Amino acid sequence: MTVLRFVLGDQLSRSVSSLRDVAPDDVILLAEVGEETGYVRHHKRKIAFLFAAMRHFAEDLRQEGLRVEYRTLDEDAPADSFTAALMEAVQRHRPERVVVTEPGEWRVRQMMEGWERALGLPVEIRPDDRFLCDHATFEAWAEGLKGLRMEYFYREMRRRTGFLMDGEAPVGGRWNFDFANRERLPAEIEPPPRPDFPPDAETQAVLDLVSRRFGNHFGDLDGFDYPVTRQDALRYLDWFVEDALPRFGPYQDAMRQGAPLLFHSHLSALINCGLLGPQECCLRADDAYHAGAAPIEAVEGFIRQIIGWREFVRGIYWREMPGYGERNALGATRPLPDFFWTGETEMNCLAQAIGETKRNAYAHHIQRLMVLGNFCLLAGLDPTAVQEWYLVVYHDAYEWVEMPNVVGMILFADGGLFASKPYAASGNYIHKMSDYCENCVFDVTRKLGPRACPFNYLYWDFLDRNGKTLRGNQRLRQPYQTLDRMSGERRTAIRDDARRFLDRLPSGGDY
Ligand SMILES: Cc1cc2nc3c(=O)[nH]c(=O)nc-3n(C[C@H](O)[C@H](O)[C@H](O)COP(=O)(O)OP(=O)(O)OC[C@H]3O[C@@H](n4cnc5c(N)ncnc54)[C@H](O)[C@@H]3O)c2cc1C
Ligand code: SF4
């Protein structure tokens, strides 16, 4: 009897649990559906990447001799939703049961849980064991802890996975080499050239579809050259480990105008959709360390991001849902300024980060955290608007990973569930880590007045404005002491400059 196996667009791994015991008579369903492309208006490049990866994955399965039903968005009567696609496939193939892997999003999980009733068939929802920490293990780790700190979770994950371990001890004598990951990039060091993967006919058909159907969505499609097959993803991983990983460590926090990728892996979208596994990426980096091809501060930094942060934020998401997205501990309500969609702002760091986001559906972590995120925090932008923006614009964005990074990491909207203090910084941080300020109309050394870097007065205004909630935070004691030492006139001038700046932010455009 036939089993219908429904594979979602971020489950493109041959080893995904829903395909593990697939038999030649089974039908594997993949579907491009309108609801998923439209519930937020995703970046064109993100849609193109996912559809191209899905189509190539389906072809790989066919080459293996498996039966695949692939629904495209450009057929005469495309499926509106996952549920509709599944119901139509059930009617056609009359399977005895349906097998799926749990989704990455609460909304879809709710949908899946209604399928058994809607279809009148058994629906088996299997765990997504491509993640290295399952829900029960995360719950057990978090149980009874007052504050959830990634660092302790990460050490547990090192022990469990054995990456960079020497028996019970961490290789190199320390768990964390973050202190060696914060260097400014010297002008004479050039990031390595990246391999590109020009679109084949199938990917070109997807690009045409996306520009036809989603022409009014945010972002550019030109020059699309990202891997969309398992084979190319593996080639890209090889390239990263050999050519970029050795310098990934020291320059992880650096930013340079016109160099969007630096030594970052650019692997997140490939891992999140399943073309690469987190375990195999870490294994390759671990091997490079043991072969003497990459130093400990690079390899530890990379592995920490994957078995630490990536698994940790997923654990937070499922633990805190539903309702996590509505948190707003700082009562922030300002609408998203229009320049988040156009990139048209005189603040050069923001203009660069948004421009690159528009072109590439990518910005690296420090741009997301310390430029864009820092601005969202200091300006008091509405958390739901910020979440939607981050979900729309990045090709690696799924709610399970975007939401904790926005709600918990950049906005402190969960009141410090896992961040010990808000990641708030003045312009000096951006100046220290980038060359953006050299090309900006604002002066990063000025604290007040029309030419002063807005981050400078927004930083103090943020602390002032949120004193009631944040003053008690021990890690903010020093900045609050500095604020308290300022004269009344200075504090009024800071408030006035911040007010003038914030009131002038244009918002409400239709994008
Ligand atoms: C506000 C905000 C929103 C973010 N939204 C997303 C998102 O929607 N999807 C997403 O995959 N990442 C998100 N991140 C995390 C991180 O910025 C990206 O994973 C990273 O920039 C991807 O680029 P890379 O592959 O070159 O990463 P690298 O710098 O090369 O890091 C290696 C890998 O570590 C993982 N990683 C690193 N940091 C994080 C993190 N904080 N959370 C989860 N995984 C991490 C990613 O898989 C990444 O590929 C967000 C971060 C912030 C601050
Ligand atoms: S001066 Fe301020 S606004 Fe301009 S690039 Fe530097 S940090 Fe950004």
Side-chain angles (χ1 to χ4, degrees), residues 248 264-268 272 302 305-306 309-310 313 362-365 368-369 390 396-398 401-402 405-406 409-410:
F248 173 80
H264 287 273
S265 68
H266 205 209
L267 288 172
S268 50
N272 292 352
F302 179 71
Q305 306 307 335
I306 295 188
W309 278 113
R310 185 173 186 274
V313 298
Y362 176 86
H364 70 66
H365 186 63
R368 296 189 206 193
L369 178 69
Y390 275 93
D396 55 24
Y398 301 86
V401 53
E402 163 276 317
N405 273 297
V406 171
M409 199 180 298
I410 65 168

Side-chain angles (χ1 to χ4, degrees), residues 15 32 41 52 72 78 105 132 153 179 199 223 247 258 263 310 329 338 340 356-357 369 378 394 412 454 463 465 496:
S15 60
E32 300 166 5
R41 288 153 42 112
T72 69
E105 202 171 313
L132 307 175
F153 170 79
F179 67 90
R247 282 189 154 155
F263 298 93
R310 185 173 186 274
D338 292 345
F340 270 75
E356 285 169 4
T357 299
L369 178 69
L378 300 187
Y394 292 116
F412 208 71
L463 289 177
R465 219 169 57 226
D496 287 349

Side-chain angles (χ1 to χ4, degrees), residues 347-349 427 430 436-437 440 442-444 453-455:
M347 298 175 74
N348 188 42
C349 51
I430 295 169
Y436 294 144
C437 303
C440 187
F442 297 109
D443 181 347
V444 73
C453 167
F455 278 109

Side-chain angles (χ1 to χ4, degrees), residues 341-489:
W341 300 111
T342 62
E344 288 164 14
T345 163
E346 287 182 313
M347 298 175 74
N348 188 42
C349 51
L350 289 177
Q352 295 302 322
I354 295 166
E356 285 169 4
T357 299
K358 198 158 175 259
R359 280 190 294 282
N360 308 323
Y362 176 86
H364 70 66
H365 186 63
I366 295 302
Q367 293 173 303
R368 296 189 206 193
L369 178 69
M370 296 308 294
V371 175
L372 299 159
N374 188 25
F375 183 85
C376 296
L377 173 73
L378 300 187
L381 302 188
D382 172 5
T384 48
V386 178
Q387 283 172 63
E388 179 168 334
W389 187 80
Y390 275 93
L391 187 60
V392 163
V393 302
Y394 292 116
H395 67 169
D396 55 24
Y398 301 86
E399 203 176 85
W400 65 265
V401 53
E402 163 276 317
M403 188 184 283
N405 273 297
V406 171
V407 173
M409 199 180 298
I410 65 168
L411 297 182
F412 208 71
D414 58 8
L417 180 69
F418 65 88
S420 56
K421 71 176 177 72
Y423 279 92
S426 68
N428 192 40
Y429 176 86
I430 295 169
H431 180 47
K432 207 172 75 195
M433 296 312 300
S434 77
D435 57 359
Y436 294 144
C437 303
E438 291 159 29
N439 301 300
C440 187
V441 300
F442 297 109
D443 181 347
V444 73
T445 63
R446 288 189 192 223
K447 309 290 181 228
L448 286 169
R451 284 199 54 224
C453 167
F455 278 109
N456 291 342
Y457 47 78
L458 289 177
Y459 172 76
W460 292 113
D461 182 63
F462 166 78
L463 289 177
D464 199 7
R465 219 169 57 226
N466 291 291
K468 253 197 197 146
T469 324
L470 298 178
R471 239 174 214 287
N473 184 315
Q474 280 309 299
R475 295 201 59 205
L476 292 175
R477 223 178 54 187
Q478 203 193 355
Y480 272 109
Q481 280 170 354
T482 309
L483 184 67
D484 292 342
R485 279 198 299 273
M486 287 180 191
S487 66
E489 292 92 79

Side-chain angles (χ1 to χ4, degrees), residues 224-289:
F224 183 94
D225 64 354
Y226 199 54
V228 295
T229 64
R230 164 83 178 148
Q231 220 180 10
D232 285 349
L234 284 170
R235 276 180 52 210
Y236 197 61
L237 174 62
D238 283 346
W239 170 84
F240 167 69
V241 171
E242 280 159 33
D243 286 20
L245 178 64
R247 282 189 154 155
F248 173 80
Y251 307 122
Q252 232 185 105
D253 289 4
M255 296 172 278
R256 179 186 285 175
Q257 184 149 342
L261 292 159
L262 298 173
F263 298 93
H264 287 273
S265 68
H266 205 209
L267 288 172
S268 50
L270 299 173
I271 302 174
N272 292 352
C273 82
L275 290 183
L276 292 175
Q279 174 106 10
E280 70 186 329
C281 294
C282 293
L283 208 55
R284 292 282 286 107
D286 192 63
D287 286 348
Y289 169 71

Side-chain angles (χ1 to χ4, degrees), residues 60 124 140 157 368:
D60 285 351
E124 185 188 351
M157 291 299 288
R368 296 189 206 193

Side-chain angles (χ1 to χ4, degrees), residues 1-19:
M1 285 291 275
T2 306
V3 177
L4 182 62
R5 298 171 188 271
F6 191 8
V7 174
L8 307 186
D10 57 353
Q11 299 179 343
L12 309 181
S13 318
R14 184 58 186 84
S15 60
V16 73
S17 55
S18 58
L19 293 183

